[in-house]
Amino acid sequence: MIILYWSDVMCGIIGYIGKEDAVPIIVEGLKKLEYRGYDSSGLAVCGADGFSVVKQKGRLDALIARLTDCPVSANAGIGHTRWATHGEPSDANSHPHVGGQNRIAVVHNGIIENYKQIKERLARKGVVFHSQTDSEAIAQLAEYYYDGDLVRTVIKLLHRLEGSYALGILCADNPDILVAVKKDNPLIIGVSGHGHFIASDVPAVLKYTDRVYYMEDDEIAVLSSGGVQFFNTERERLHKTLETVSWSAASAEKDGYPHFMLKEIMEQPKVLKDTVSGTLGTGRNEQHGLDDIDIRGYHKIVIAACGSAYNAGLVAKYVFERLTRLSVETEIASEFRYKDAVIDDKTLVLLVSQSGETADTIAAMREAKRKGAYTLSVVNVVGSTLAKESDAGVFTAAGPEIAVATTKAFSAQLAVLYLLAIRFGVQIGRVAKDEEQMYLAAVRSLPDKIREVLKETDAIQKYASVCVGYKSVFFIGRNIDCAIAAEGSLKLKEISYIHSEAYAGGELKHGTISLIEEDTLVVTIATCERLYAKIVSNAEQVLSRGAKVLLIGNAPAGDYDGRLVRIRLPEICELFSPSLSVVVLQLFAYYIAANKGLDIDKPRNLAKSVTVE
Ligand code: AGP
């Protein structure tokens, strides 16, 4: 069965009800959510005279301009920023969607899989659809069911919808309530003295409150200026715990930097300090179930993740294998979930994710649990699905990461994975007490060493400024440097749109070297002293064919008439050197994209949290 529909699966939703004008609050929230999708945006407010809806294709700035031309205001409203997966961004496909009788307005993040059946049935009853989205079916169906009681209407709706959703629902007959529900997509409820919020994630409300409820699947939140109530789909009252978020509002601002990505690169020394001290128990990092893990009970470690988180797994494989002598497999989560993996209750499966909401990684976790494996998640977002559902979890302390291209969260993931490897190495008796202290001291030295690397920013910026013209770039390394080369290549691709590939240095001569010609750029990572000679000879192989080399590390090498440029790194145990080389790789990619004048924080075709398959 082929279902062709336009769906909105990686969007940001926000809502407010209270004493203040909802419009500026919603616009502010959409600004914080735009990294989730930026193909179109819109809002609807509900006053005594019904809905005012302003929505359109394009970036949020376009919506803000339109709101300046035709201002609307009310004390209750919902907003949406869209990432179109199927079908083109357009005004009609933008959210909010309103029912044909202007009674119910909806913003939706997710997929409605039985949308077609709903649409056909309603169309037979004379309902006219204005968009190609699955989300409009929700608004039209809700209006069809509406009997004056919005909560009862929503409960009826939930029994009919199939798929995933985070919804914000307003009703013109009752402008004093805002209803929100979720299933398989993130949704939080924010509480403040002047009003209450719904949002896809915490940074969208941080300016107004740090007190939030994390919604579970199939829970219904009913917000009014008087307060927030929760119900299940039997309309029984639910009691939920109000939590205080440790992130500050400032952490979701740019602090004067031109881009969130540069700010987040520069935050890495503090992020590493917080993450390391947190994970070692001297800080505030929340953990659960870690003490229950005795690695001696496991024969294999599997690391499953996507994108950069997968690359963190590639690095961690070297560290875990070196310190535990257990075999470690790294798995791309979207493959792992369908490959019938050879795992069992003697397998420890690590799930690594910044957002904790990546659909493929969540599915990999559920598949691992189905096969009896013990699941341990390394996640940055408290309250996320991965964090809640995994058997054990450790949080990175990167704070909100706004730029689509991950940097500080990636570095924090590496630090947590190093500390887990050391912990398991001691547990399994492969790491002696003095070695443990040596490794821990090296990990604790990372914040200062990263500060050292950041002093190379100007040199990296200068080098990057002459690299904007490259159509293709190669990244090479050996062993753990080969793993971090993959992250360097991904960073460059996702924000500069320059094609690049990462290779094991020794693999070049088996084919790829045929692509090396005059002026090809080969970024060479060389931090493993025992392999200096090997990787330098690989660099010489490409230099001899006219390539240019950016050498990251301290391997002794000439400058080949200026065709080899080097960025030195502070000395550190090779197992932790990716935390230093990656900072150079992040800045290199950043400054190339900046020189190209690209939208670095919101690269084309990408979204921060990939909540679909
Ligand atoms: C990395 O810069 C990208 N944003 C992307 O590859 C990301 O790492 C991937 O989508 C996984 O996201 P997660 O860490 O939130 O699971």
Side-chain angles (χ1 to χ4, degrees), residues 306-309 353-355 358 404-406 413 490-491 494 608 610:
C306 303
S308 286
S353 173
Q354 187 286 128
S355 61
T358 300
V404 167
T406 185
Q413 286 162 359
L490 178 60
K491 277 288 99 53
E494 63 180 322
K608 182 70 181 169
V610 183

Side-chain angles (χ1 to χ4, degrees), residues 229-411:
Q229 295 180 322
F230 295 96
F231 301 89
N232 61 18
T233 51
E234 308 308 315
R235 205 170 186 158
E236 294 152 345
R237 279 293 295 278
L238 297 173
H239 172 70
K240 287 180 71 66
T241 313
L242 185 60
E243 308 198 31
T244 302
V245 176
S246 60
W247 294 347
S248 68
S251 63
E253 301 297 336
K254 270 194 210 151
D255 280 4
Y257 285 96
H259 298 100
F260 278 107
M261 184 176 177
L262 187 60
K263 175 200 171 209
E264 289 159 2
I265 291 173
M266 296 304 170
E267 281 179 341
Q268 295 184 106
K270 179 179 179 313
V271 163
L272 264 285
K273 187 167 175 309
D274 294 349
T275 297
V276 170
S277 60
T279 309
L280 291 175
T282 53
R284 280 166 45 106
N285 275 25
E286 289 156 40
Q287 301 167 356
H288 65 98
L290 207 50
D291 297 337
D292 311 338
I293 299 179
D294 182 341
I295 197 68
R296 288 167 293 192
Y298 298 94
H299 299 163
K300 179 163 74 172
I301 296 174
V302 168
I303 307 174
C306 303
S308 286
Y310 172 76
N311 293 337
L314 287 177
V315 170
K317 172 180 168 65
Y318 286 91
V319 186
F320 276 105
E321 288 188 342
R322 180 78 62 79
L323 300 188
T324 67
R325 305 317 290 156
L326 279 174
S327 84
V328 178
E329 292 167 8
T330 52
E331 296 277 359
I332 292 171
S334 53
E335 286 299 304
F336 178 81
R337 61 185 295 184
Y338 293 118
K339 69 175 274 187
D340 189 12
V342 182
I343 61 168
D344 56 24
D345 59 2
K346 291 276 176 279
T347 310
L348 176 67
V349 175
L350 270 93
L351 297 308
V352 183
S353 173
Q354 187 286 128
S355 61
E357 297 294 352
T358 300
D360 287 320
T361 311
I362 291 170
M365 170 192 56
R366 292 173 179 160
E367 171 68 359
K369 291 179 89 163
R370 192 180 65 74
K371 285 181 170 270
Y374 193 84
T375 56
L376 167 59
S377 64
V378 177
V379 168
N380 192 48
V381 178
V382 175
S384 60
T385 305
L386 265 176
K388 282 188 290 194
E389 284 189 26
S390 58
D391 300 307
V394 185
F395 289 99
T396 51
E401 189 175 64
I402 309 293
V404 167
T406 185
T407 53
K408 61 177 182 173
F410 176 84
S411 292

Side-chain angles (χ1 to χ4, degrees), residues 529-540:
E529 192 166 350
R530 60 196 171 84
L531 295 169
Y532 278 171
K534 306 297 177 197
I535 189 67
V536 169
S537 87
N538 295 139
E540 285 169 348

